[in-house]
Amino acid sequence: METTYDVKTYKILTYKGVRKTTYTVRWVVAGKRWREPFNTVALAEGFRSELIRATGKGDAFVVATGLPVSHRSKSAAMSWYKFAVEYVDARWSQLGGNSRKNIAKTMTATTIALLWAKPTQFAPAAVRTALRDWAFNTNRCPDAPRDVVAILKWVERNSLPVSAWEDPEKVDQVLQTIDTRLDGKQAAAWSRKRNRRILNVAMKWSRRLPRRPRTPWTSDPC
């Protein structure tokens, strides 16, 4: 993980559009420019203050993410699977049926790509179904049958941490996975674009919003 202390933070950029106003935090890490838009000035100021505090304390910044190491540490211990479940739960009520299905599909493919090992004791189709139709379905998950619960507990134990996104090789692997259909052929351009947009929104959400934890999966995964 490459880090640096070469960080500059700029004033918040305010853009007043026809429908809404956005407030963008701008900063530079090792010469690379970063931008993060927010819907309220309070959120923007809070995020900018976090960057300034980290710089003031002498924290190193991760070159690949543009964020301070102290920010990274908050996500390092959280598995990608746990984050993905919380993200789906948090957005569930805001989404329509098609959006829910698309997010579930993208999260399923991404979660499988971010496992320590392949779940050879389970059929691939069963793993995909357990994730897509149960783990990433807020309404159905509490009623998951025993065989599904067993699969999801295994996935939770074998999921890489969110910090895996700081590894460029792992990111390339994930993107290749979501760009590929189950038959091994490349997905359509519109499908690839949609999947990447879904992941981009999820990663931005991880920076802004507080966790909304579901009951820990120590005994019941849903």
Side-chain angles (χ1 to χ4, degrees):
M1 177 184 66
E2 184 180 358
T3 61
T4 183
Y5 296 96
D6 180 12
V7 181
K8 296 180 181 180
T9 305
Y10 298 100
K11 293 182 179 180
I12 295 173
L13 179 65
T14 302
Y15 173 75
K16 295 183 178 180
V18 177
R19 296 185 178 181
K20 67 176 183 178
T21 300
T22 57
Y23 306 88
T24 301
V25 178
R26 302 169 299 155
W27 73 106
V28 176
V29 177
K32 183 176 181 180
R33 297 179 180 273
W34 295 85
R35 297 166 61 91
E36 184 67 26
F38 294 87
N39 292 327
T40 69
V41 67
L43 288 173
E45 289 178 345
F47 181 69
R48 182 173 180 271
S49 295
E50 181 182 347
L51 299 179
I52 293 175
R53 282 196 300 271
T55 304
K57 291 189 300 181
D59 288 352
F61 277 60
V62 180
V63 175
T65 65
L67 297 173
V69 172
S70 56
H71 187 106
R72 170 192 173 275
S73 65
K74 296 176 184 178
S75 65
M78 172 177 276
S79 72
W80 163 258
Y81 173 75
K82 180 177 174 58
F83 164 78
V85 167
E86 292 185 6
Y87 172 69
V88 171
D89 282 355
R91 297 208 59 203
W92 187 261
S93 63
Q94 308 166 10
L95 303 172
N98 286 335
S99 294
R100 290 174 177 176
K101 290 179 182 178
N102 289 334
I103 288 179
K105 290 179 181 179
T106 302
M107 289 299 174
T108 294
T110 303
T111 300
I112 292 174
L114 291 174
L115 291 173
W116 289 106
K118 293 183 179 180
T120 54
Q121 64 271 55
F122 305 112
V127 176
R128 291 194 300 271
T129 298
L131 289 167
R132 183 189 63 237
D133 296 349
W134 297 95
F136 301 133
N137 186 315
T138 302
N139 290 342
R140 295 188 69 193
C141 198
D143 301 318
R146 282 178 146 185
D147 58 330
V148 169
V149 171
I151 292 174
L152 297 182
K153 283 185 175 181
W154 185 93
V155 170
E156 183 182 30
R157 291 194 303 270
N158 289 274
S159 176
L160 289 169
V162 175
S163 57
W165 285 97
E166 295 172 10
D167 180 352
E169 292 185 5
K170 181 57 66 174
V171 172
D172 289 342
Q173 179 185 336
V174 172
L175 294 180
Q176 182 177 3
T177 297
I178 66 173
D179 285 349
T180 306
R181 303 186 322 193
L182 293 177
D183 61 6
K185 297 181 179 179
Q186 187 177 59
W190 61 266
S191 178
R192 301 197 304 272
K193 183 177 180 180
R194 180 194 65 202
N195 291 338
R196 292 182 181 224
R197 183 174 64 249
I198 288 173
L199 282 181
N200 185 50
V201 172
M203 299 314 291
K204 286 186 176 182
W205 182 89
S206 72
R207 297 185 191 177
R208 302 185 190 181
L209 300 180
R211 302 295 181 206
R212 306 181 186 184
R214 181 184 277 176
T215 302
W217 284 36
T218 51
S219 58
D220 184 357
C222 294

